[in-house]
Amino acid sequence: MGSYALPRRSLVLFLLAAAAVASTAAWAASSSSAGGGDDAARRSLLDNGLGRTPQMGWNSWNHFGCNINENTIRSTGYIAADPKKFPSGIKALADYVHSKGLKLGIYSSAGTRTCSKTMPGSLGYEDIDAKTFASWGVDYLKYDNCNSDGSSETVRFPKMSFALRKTGRPIFYSICEWGQRNVATWGGQYGNSWRTTGDINDSWASMLSNIDSNDASASYAKPGGWNDPDMLEVGNGGMTNDEYVVHISLWAIAKAPLIIGCDVRSISRETLEILSNPEVIAINQGPLSQQRTAVLLLNRGATGSRQITAAWQDIGVGPGVAVEAKNVWLHATAPGRFTGSLTAEVAAHLCKLFVLTPVGRAGEERS
Ligand SMILES: *[C@@H]1O[C@H](CO)[C@@H](O)[C@H](O)[C@H]1NC(C)=O
C-alpha cells in the first residue's frame, strides 16, 4: 500500500481558498441564533475549527477545466497541480501560495477516479491521501462523488472526514456529493460545507435552479458547516453583468461559499467590481452588527420591472421597528425610513440588495 502512494500522486486539480479559516470571534456574535446544542454535538465529531464563515477563494474548474498547470496558477496568483504539470511539486506550490497569505485547496473524489477520469480518486486510500495532502501543506479538500463503487455517500464521505482529522492538520473539508442522500442533514457532522445541488453551468436557469434547491436546506447552514450551491460563474460570459449581480447577491445572502470561477488574469473592471463589493461580502461573511438585516428583492421575470415588497414579518424584523435601508449595489442609503415593509422597483433579471439598520420604533423618534 505504501508504495502505491507514489504513482497515485499524479492526482489533482486545485483550488485556492483564501478565507477558509475565519475568525472565531465573528461566530460568537451569531451563535445565539445557530442552535447551540446541535452545533456542539456536531463539532464533537468534526472539530476542525474551520469554516466559521463561508469559504472564499478561487477555483480553476469553471474556466479552465482540466487544462491547468503550474504557470496558470502562479500567473493568476493562485494554485493548481500535478507533478508533470507542476514540476516543482505541490509542497513548493503550497509554500508559494502561503507566502502570498493565501491557502491552498486540492481536489479528489470518493471513487476510483476523479470525474474527468484522468486522475486517481481516493476511495480505499483515504488515510494515505489525507496524509499526503497534509504533508504538502494543503488547507482545503474538495471531495467529489464520481466513479464510486456504488456504496453509500454516507459511508464514503465520512471516511475521508476521519482520515483528514487523523492527520492533525486542520483541512477544510468540502463535501461534493451533489445534494444526494439529504446531505444537509448529516454533512455538518463531517464536513465544513456540502454541495446541495448538481453542477452549476454559466446560465441564468442553472444559477436560479441551484440556489432554489439550496434554499430547501437553508436551516442547516451554520458556522462550521455551510450549504454549497456550487461555485460562481461570474465573469465567464454566459450571463449579463446584471445577472451576475443577481448570482453573487443570492450566494452572499444564502451564506454560500464565494469561490470565483473565472480567469482572474484577464478579469474585466465590471467583473472585478461585481466580485469585490465589500458590502456584499460583509453580508456573506457576517454576522451583521447592530441587529442589521440583509434583504434581497429579486425580479425573475425576463421583461418589465416590478414593485417588490419585503414585509417585516417575513424577514424577521420586529413589527414596529423603523429602519434605514442601504442599497449595497448603489452604495447609497434610500431616502427616508421604513416601518413594516420595504418596497422597491426591480428591473427584469435583476435584484436589489439592502442592509436594513434599525433606527428606532415607529413614532418613537418624535415622542
Ligand atoms: C445548464 O443547466 C440548466 C438548468 O439546470 C439545464 O437546463 C441546461 O441543460 C444546462 N446546460 C448545459 C450546457 O449543461
Side-chain angles (χ1 to χ4, degrees), residues 8 108-112 121-126 129 143 147-151 156 159:
R8 293 181 68 256
S108 185
S109 182
T112 51
S122 296
L123 185 67
Y125 299 89
E126 291 86 357
D129 286 359
Y143 203 47
N147 306 306
S148 81
D149 58 1
S151 64
R156 286 177 289 119
K159 264 190 192 149

Side-chain angles (χ1 to χ4, degrees), residues 199-203 205-207 209-210:
D199 288 357
I200 196 170
N201 66 49
D202 191 8
S203 71
S206 169
M207 184 272 291
S209 154
N210 274 28

Side-chain angles (χ1 to χ4, degrees), residues 92 104 113-114 131 158 207 217 250 310 342 359 362:
L104 175 65
R113 289 178 173 272
T114 60
K131 264 190 220 153
M207 184 272 291
S217 303
L250 286 166
L342 170 71
V359 289

Side-chain angles (χ1 to χ4, degrees), residues 7-8 24 27 83 120 125 137 194 204 211 215 239-240 242 292 308 319 338 352:
R8 293 181 68 256
T24 1
W27 179 55
Y125 299 89
W194 47 88
W204 173 253
I211 202 70
D215 197 44
M239 291 181 244
T240 65
D242 281 356
R292 287 180 298 162
I308 303 177
F338 301 85
K352 284 189 176 164

